[in-house]
Amino acid sequence: AQSVTQLDSQVPVFEEAPVELRCNYSSSVSVYLFWYVQYPNQGLQLLLKYLSGSTLVKGINGFEAEFNKSQTSFHLRKPSVHISDTAEYFCAVSESGNTPLVFGKGTRLSVIA
Amino acid sequence: GAVVSQHPSRVICKSGTSVKIECRSLDFQATTMFWYRQFPKQSLMLMATSNEGSKATYEQGVEKDKFLINHASLTLSTLTVTSAHPEDSSFYICSARGTSGLEQFFGPGTRLTVL
């Protein structure tokens, strides 16, 4: 069965600094990978997804992620963060179109002015 | 496209009452719907998976008689929390998957508070 590990529960970073949120997955088969953002008391918003093709995926709000099959990772990056990026970020994996998404525990990104 | 709505967005009820939450796919046919539960500052935990016209499949530890799920049409699934208690207070999020099968689209969530 697949699982997702988000190594950092909290990441504080200064405004305009770069950030990387780490995500590793465990699966015995090919996977589809996703990053979602959740603002307080709101639902999930899709940032980006990897389904196939290029391993570097660009998403909304200036975020990007790179799928690394050998390291079973899908780390999320942004070169310069804004205060408005403060939120909870979830990495998720699905093994196929028939299985539900499995989520990591989330990483709280706090951008400091 | 691919919009999922939930109603209500927030509900407060007394202990012992039942609460129904609706999840609708507005612009696509949802062959599969999922219900997640999220406690404060925690991740989403899958409660159940439902396919249109079939009985829901519940995850281990989720009481199927307490959390009734109905997926009667390709655009609507409902979650009924029966005889709700304070420990059922949580954020409930639904998601839907269409015929392409590769992506889940999430609703905005329902905040349930049981007094």
Side-chain angles (χ1 to χ4, degrees), chain A residues 26-106:
Chain A
S26 172
S27 174
S28 59
V29 299
S30 296
V31 296
Y32 305 117
L33 294 156
F34 305 81
W35 274 99
Y36 290 87
V37 60
Q38 185 180 35
Y39 298 100
N41 296 310
Q42 294 188 29
L44 298 179
Q45 182 180 6
L46 180 66
L47 278 176
L48 47 79
K49 60 189 176 189
Y50 171 79
L51 304 179
S52 66
S54 174
T55 57
L56 182 62
V57 180
K58 293 189 183 298
I60 63 171
N61 301 343
F63 284 95
E64 64 178 33
E66 186 157 18
F67 170 55
N68 188 318
K69 187 174 182 179
S70 62
Q71 296 186 7
T72 60
S73 68
F74 191 55
H75 301 331
L76 180 70
R77 296 190 291 260
K78 185 169 182 176
S80 176
V81 296
H82 302 289
I83 296 289
S84 59
D85 293 324
T86 295
E88 191 82 20
Y89 291 80
F90 292 98
C91 181
V93 64
S94 174
E95 287 185 340
S96 75
N98 294 324
T99 59
L101 285 174
V102 173
F103 287 85
K105 292 188 175 182

Side-chain angles (χ1 to χ4, degrees), chain B residues 10-111:
Chain B
R10 188 180 296 267
V11 58
I12 301 173
C13 68
K14 293 182 179 180
S15 184
T17 60
S18 294
V19 174
K20 180 184 284 188
I21 302 170
E22 292 187 350
C23 175
R24 293 182 185 274
S25 58
L26 299 184
D27 51 3
F28 68 102
Q29 293 186 324
T31 51
T32 306
M33 285 188 169
F34 307 90
W35 287 94
Y36 292 84
R37 181 175 182 177
Q38 185 181 31
F39 290 107
K41 300 187 186 301
Q42 294 189 28
S43 188
L44 284 75
M45 299 301 297
L46 180 67
M47 299 175 66
T49 301
S50 72
N51 293 298
E52 185 264 339
S54 303
K55 288 185 177 181
T57 301
Y58 291 82
E59 295 298 300
Q60 191 172 9
V62 177
E63 301 176 59
K64 62 180 181 181
D65 294 329
K66 181 167 188 61
F67 299 100
L68 302 179
I69 292 171
N70 183 281
H71 190 171
S73 79
L74 285 171
T75 59
L76 173 65
S77 176
T78 60
L79 167 67
T80 301
V81 183
T82 61
S83 186
H85 292 284
E87 58 266 29
D88 297 324
S89 297
S90 190
F91 194 50
Y92 292 87
I93 303 175
C94 75
S95 73
R97 177 179 281 163
T99 53
S100 70
L102 293 180
E103 191 171 340
Q104 286 179 222
F105 302 97
F106 286 83
T110 296
R111 174 75 60 192

